[in-house]
Amino acid sequence: MPATQWSPVAARNGKFAGLPLRPMMRRSHVPRRAWESFEAFCNDPLVACTGWAALISGMAVVKVAVDEDRHTPSAFLKRKSKLGKKTSSPIVCLGDSITRGNLSADWVGALRESQEGFVLNAGVNMQCSQNIQRRIDEVIACQPSHVTVLVGTNDLKAALSPAEGFLYKVFGDLPEVPSLESYERTLADIKQRLTDAGAQVALVSPPVLGEDIQSEANKRAADFAAVVRRVAETGARCAYLPLFEMTYAALPAKGRPYCGMNFFAWCCLLCWDMHIMRRDLADIQRERNLGVTVDLVHLGPQAAEDLAGMVRDFVHIPTNLPALPGSQIMDMVGAELRTSQ
């Protein structure tokens, strides 16, 4: 009998080249067992691990969002009457989450440890310059001797991404999506109101956004830094602290560019690592192969320490300075440090 040639008909009949083909074995599908009761559901190890992880992570995020620092302007004003009339004027550090320090290295806390008197943290997470503008009256009510203003990272992110711009506008209840132009107007108003109240003011340029030297984000960050310098050098009683320039100089040769999704994931993990696991930020930074930031936005330990040092130098400048541009004030700080060595 001649060998059967392959054909679709032969294949369907279970024959190929004269040999019968074995019928294909079908895998048996075992249906997933349903929990017999709510108690069984709760006792399932997988459900328990997943549930506890979600619960603890959620608690960490909520803690970061609502945790109240006893060194805020509002807390200071509440107890001011109990402190007496001879209370020294505080130093106020005004800004967003980079100043708040519960998602990054706490440079304000480091400054407080080295200063006598009160150092108030007026940083609020997720705020743009226009949000901070609304809080100026509370800062002025503290009658500060010195105020640092570090704001602009969220304005920069909003200007770069239509999606982030929309979110900041909606959740920040802003009249418009932040832009470089609105940032300059707002920063000039903040500076003017603080100096009119008699405070020595330092405007701090926002740090790098991401760690890629050639990225569009850091080119735009340089534009924001130029605005801060220009506003600082207009008028008196104001210094410019070059945080952008300092962090940019410290970037690795081949750094990771800013990505909103990567930042969001790393930022959420920071809540867990910092507030639940109590991990060291330097270890987290090394694991993520980052050189300046801990999540492409917030400052790592070394950058925070350097910023605290710049602010410390600013505070020790004599308060009776004539009108000097920010660059000359920083030169004077360097000269004083060299003389003291």
Side-chain angles (χ1 to χ4, degrees):
M1 183 175 179
T4 303
Q5 300 297 319
W6 185 92
S7 69
V9 175
R12 284 197 297 270
N13 291 334
K15 296 180 179 180
F16 178 67
L19 297 176
L21 298 178
R22 294 182 179 179
M24 294 181 64
M25 298 295 293
R26 293 186 177 180
R27 294 181 180 178
S28 59
H29 295 282
V30 179
R32 185 185 292 268
R33 182 174 60 84
W35 295 284
E36 297 177 355
S37 65
F38 181 72
E39 182 179 358
F41 171 80
C42 293
N43 290 330
D44 188 311
L46 179 61
V47 172
C49 292
T50 304
W52 276 109
L55 177 62
I56 295 174
S57 299
M59 291 172 62
V61 173
V62 170
K63 181 180 186 300
V64 170
V66 304
D67 191 27
E68 179 69 14
D69 191 332
R70 63 190 181 90
H71 298 290
T72 61
S74 59
F76 175 80
L77 291 172
K78 287 178 182 178
R79 66 176 187 269
K80 187 176 181 181
S81 59
K82 300 178 182 179
L83 298 175
K85 295 183 179 180
K86 295 184 179 180
T87 302
S88 61
S89 297
I91 299 166
V92 178
C93 301
L94 178 62
D96 50 29
S97 58
I98 295 175
T99 296
R100 180 67 182 85
N102 58 3
L103 286 172
S104 63
D106 183 11
W107 67 268
V108 179
L111 176 68
R112 184 180 300 115
E113 291 176 358
S114 64
Q115 295 293 130
E116 296 181 359
F118 300 98
V119 177
L120 307 182
N121 191 320
V124 177
N125 294 350
M126 295 184 64
Q127 289 206 337
C128 297
S129 58
Q130 294 177 59
N131 300 113
I132 290 172
Q133 185 182 33
R134 299 171 184 170
R135 298 193 282 118
I136 291 297
D137 288 340
E138 182 181 61
V139 173
I140 292 174
C142 296
Q143 298 179 321
S145 61
H146 297 76
V147 180
T148 63
V149 182
L150 171 51
V151 61
T153 294
N154 294 327
D155 297 72
L156 170 58
K157 290 165 61 183
L160 283 171
S161 167
E164 291 198 61
F166 173 78
L167 292 174
Y168 280 115
K169 180 178 183 296
V170 172
F171 291 103
D173 191 24
L174 301 178
E176 59 182 342
V177 174
S179 64
L180 185 64
E181 294 73 24
S182 66
Y183 175 67
E184 183 166 6
R185 293 194 304 269
T186 305
L187 191 63
D189 179 72
I190 291 172
K191 172 208 165 184
Q192 189 63 50
R193 291 168 63 184
L194 290 172
T195 54
D196 287 349
Q200 295 283 328
V201 178
L203 301 185
V204 188
S205 56
V208 292
L209 184 61
E211 300 202 351
D212 182 356
I213 292 177
Q214 302 298 329
S215 68
E216 181 62 28
N218 277 323
K219 291 177 183 177
R220 291 288 286 166
D223 294 336
F224 275 73
V227 163
V228 179
R229 178 184 283 273
R230 183 163 60 246
V231 173
E233 293 180 350
T234 303
R237 304 177 67 86
C238 189
Y240 171 72
L241 304 188
L243 178 60
F244 171 77
E245 293 85 339
M246 182 191 73
T247 52
Y248 186 86
L251 288 179
K254 294 183 179 180
R256 187 187 296 267
Y258 174 76
C259 170
M261 293 302 295
N262 284 346
F263 162 68
F264 180 75
W266 272 345
C267 191
C268 290
L269 288 173
L270 270 178
C271 296
W272 173 277
D273 286 333
M274 291 180 64
H275 299 281
I276 302 298
M277 303 302 293
R278 301 291 181 180
R279 295 188 60 202
D280 183 69
L281 276 178
D283 291 339
I284 298 172
Q285 193 176 33
R286 281 192 295 268
E287 284 181 5
R288 297 176 175 184
N289 198 26
L290 297 172
V292 175
T293 69
V294 291
D295 56 6
L296 302 176
V297 173
H298 297 103
L299 300 180
Q302 186 58 56
E305 182 180 336
D306 292 341
L307 175 56
M310 282 199 296
V311 174
R312 192 179 303 116
D313 296 339
F314 157 70
V315 170
H316 292 151
I317 294 174
T319 58
N320 58 348
L321 283 174
L324 289 176
S327 57
Q328 287 184 249
I329 293 179
M330 292 308 298
D331 290 342
M332 179 177 290
V333 170
E336 289 183 354
L337 289 177
R338 288 190 294 270
T339 302
S340 63
Q341 291 177 349

